[in-house]
Amino acid sequence: MISLTSYAFVSMTLFTIGVMGVVSRRNVFVIYMSIELMLNGVNLFLVTFARHHLNLDGQIITIMVIAIAAAEAAIFLSVIILLFRSKKSLDTDMFTALKDKESK
Amino acid sequence: MIDIVFLALSFFAIGGALAMLLNHNPMYSALGLLICVLSIAGLFALLSATFLFMVQLIVYAGAIMTLVIFLLMFLNINEEDMPEEPNKHKYMILAAIVMIPFNLVIIKAVSNLPGSDLSIVSEGFGGIKDVGMHLYTDWLLSFELISILLLVALIGTVVLAKKKKSRGAK
C-alpha cells in the first residue's frame, strides 16, 4: 500500500503548506518556520527517491540541506533579534528601512 | 503494521504543519512545527535512512527548533507585538490554488514511475558507515564547502549580535 506516490503526496503537501505560510502570514517567525517546512518537504522527497533507487546520493544531499538550514537558522534568528530590538514588532510590513522613501 | 505507522506519521506531519500555519501565536506554531519535524524523522526511519533519522532528531528537533523556542521565550513577545493578519485566509486559498497544478504534475509524474516496494532494508543501506564512506569520497568537495559555509554563518552571527557601541569604537 505504501508507494512512492503516498510519500510524494506527503512531501508535496508539506511544501504547499510552507508556500502558503510564506505568502499569507506576516509574522517573521512563522515565515521562517514555513521556509524550514519547505526544506523538510524537499528532504522527504530526496530520501524517498534515495530509497527507491537504493542510491545514497539523495541522502547526502539531504545532509547538505540540513547543514544549510542550520546556518540559515543562525543568521535568520540573529537578524530577527536585531529587527525586534529596533522596531519592537514582528510584523514584516514594519521592516521598511531599505525602502525608497519617496514611494511611501 | 508498517502501513499504520506510515499513516500515523504522515497524519502527524501534516497536522503539525497545519497547526503551524493556522495558529496566531508563534509559540504554538513552533510546537506544531516540532511535531511535524519529529514525524518526518519517523518517516526517514521508515525509508531506512537511519543516520538521517538521527541527524533530523539532533539538528532539527534538538538544535534549530530549540533555538526558535528559546528565542520566542527570550524576546517576551506580547499580543501587541504580533501583526494583525486580516487577509490571511484569502492569501492562503490563493497560494493553495496556485500550488495545485504543480502538485498534480509531480504526483502524476511520480505515479507513472515503475513501482518498487519501499520496505525497510535489513542492513547496510543508510547506516552511518555507508553514508560516511559516500560522504568522504564522492562528496568530499561539497562537504568542505558546507563546512566553510557553516563557519561563515557562525562569524556572521557573532558580528550581527554584537552591540552597536563596540562597532562604532572600532
Side-chain angles (χ1 to χ4, degrees):
Chain A
M1 180 197 143
I2 311 177
S3 59
L4 271 182
T5 318
S6 39
Y7 278 104
F9 175 76
V10 174
S11 56
M12 285 312 290
T13 311
L14 293 178
F15 188 86
T16 306
I17 292 174
V19 171
M20 285 161 74
V22 169
V23 169
S24 66
R25 300 298 301 266
R26 278 167 60 191
N27 194 323
V28 200
F29 271 107
V30 181
I31 290 178
Y32 165 70
M33 287 188 269
S34 304
I35 294 171
E36 293 291 319
L37 190 64
M38 293 202 287
L39 289 176
N40 265 307
V42 174
N43 279 351
L44 185 58
F45 217 95
L46 282 169
V47 175
T48 308
F49 274 90
R51 171 66 189 81
H52 175 65
H53 294 294
L54 278 179
N55 186 340
L56 276 173
D57 288 346
Q59 296 195 10
I60 305 285
I61 296 172
T62 307
I63 292 175
M64 303 285 168
V65 172
I66 289 176
I68 290 172
E72 181 214 336
I75 297 288
F76 203 106
L77 292 173
S78 59
V79 170
I80 288 181
I81 291 182
L82 281 185
L83 286 173
F84 189 76
R85 264 192 209 151
S86 63
K87 297 275 186 190
K88 284 281 165 211
S89 170
L90 290 179
D91 192 345
T92 45
D93 287 2
M94 295 280 288
F95 306 142
T96 54
L98 294 179
K99 197 176 173 186
D100 185 10
K101 286 230 171 65
E102 288 167 15
S103 69
K104 258 182 196 171
Chain B
M1 181 60 204
I2 285 182
D3 290 358
I4 299 169
V5 175
F6 171 77
L7 282 178
L9 284 174
S10 42
F11 173 77
F12 278 120
I14 294 173
L18 282 177
M20 185 220 70
L21 180 66
L22 297 174
N23 264 314
H24 185 65
N25 192 333
M27 195 68 211
Y28 296 138
S29 297
L31 293 178
L33 187 59
L34 189 59
I35 293 172
C36 175
V37 163
L38 290 175
S39 322
I40 290 175
L43 287 175
F44 284 175
L46 274 190
L47 288 165
S48 56
T50 43
F51 179 62
L52 270 174
F53 164 70
M54 237 159 51
V55 167
Q56 177 90 358
L57 280 187
I58 294 170
V59 175
Y60 258 109
I64 296 181
M65 290 319 295
T66 314
L67 190 63
V68 170
I69 291 173
F70 171 76
L71 261 182
L72 280 169
M73 292 176 169
F74 176 73
L75 289 177
N76 192 16
I77 293 156
N78 302 316
E79 185 61 39
E80 62 262 26
D81 298 331
M82 284 188 279
E84 297 171 31
E85 292 159 323
N87 294 327
K88 187 167 77 172
H89 297 288
K90 205 167 69 185
Y91 283 122
M92 270 178 207
I93 293 168
L94 201 69
I97 290 171
V98 170
M99 285 305 288
I100 281 173
F102 294 102
N103 290 349
L104 285 180
V105 166
I106 288 179
I107 285 177
K108 184 94 173 75
V110 169
S111 61
N112 283 340
L113 287 176
S116 66
D117 65 326
L118 295 173
S119 55
I120 295 174
V121 183
S122 61
E123 61 179 300
F125 179 74
I128 192 163
K129 188 181 169 196
D130 267 23
V131 175
M133 285 300 287
H134 217 66
L135 187 62
Y136 291 120
T137 51
D138 295 354
W139 291 79
L140 187 62
L141 182 65
S142 330
F143 178 77
E144 296 295 338
L145 289 176
I146 286 285
S147 62
I148 292 173
L149 180 89
L150 277 172
L151 179 69
V152 171
L154 182 72
I155 296 169
T157 314
V158 171
V159 169
L160 280 174
K162 240 179 6 182
K163 286 257 171 66
K164 280 233 171 79
K165 204 179 285 175
S166 60
R167 199 186 294 165
K170 191 164 50 182

